[in-house]
Amino acid sequence: MEENIKYEEALSQLETIVRKMEQNEFDIDQLAEQLKKAQQLIKFCKDKLTHTEAELQKIQSEAQAADI
């Protein structure tokens, strides 16, 4: 997977893979490869969301501390 991929692009790729799987557009060799790619994309998206959530919580904590 690309190093500089953005969340929205990863999500779009994942949605495309899922749609093609649902429509049986992959042969058996492609299916295994695309499933592995989907797993990587899911991990990337989850990590990105976790990191963003932590950043937002930090910013909120800092803002609340500044108001005290």
Side-chain angles (χ1 to χ4, degrees):
M1 187 165 48
E2 299 174 27
E3 293 292 322
N4 297 331
I5 191 170
K6 294 192 180 283
Y7 176 84
E8 292 80 11
E9 185 177 343
L11 189 59
S12 176
Q13 288 179 23
L14 183 57
E15 289 170 342
T16 299
I17 291 169
V18 169
R19 181 183 48 78
K20 288 183 177 184
M21 283 182 175
E22 290 174 343
Q23 296 175 356
N24 296 318
E25 291 185 30
F26 296 125
D27 64 30
I28 193 71
D29 296 321
Q30 291 174 318
L31 186 59
E33 179 182 319
Q34 292 301 309
L35 182 57
K36 184 176 180 179
K37 183 175 181 180
Q39 289 173 327
Q40 292 171 342
L41 289 165
I42 290 168
K43 181 181 180 330
F44 171 82
C45 289
K46 286 174 81 174
D47 290 348
K48 186 72 167 176
L49 288 172
T50 300
H51 177 73
T52 301
E53 182 180 25
E55 281 186 33
L56 291 173
Q57 287 177 349
K58 180 181 175 188
I59 291 168
Q60 285 179 328
S61 294
E62 289 172 354
Q64 289 175 348
D67 288 340
I68 295 179

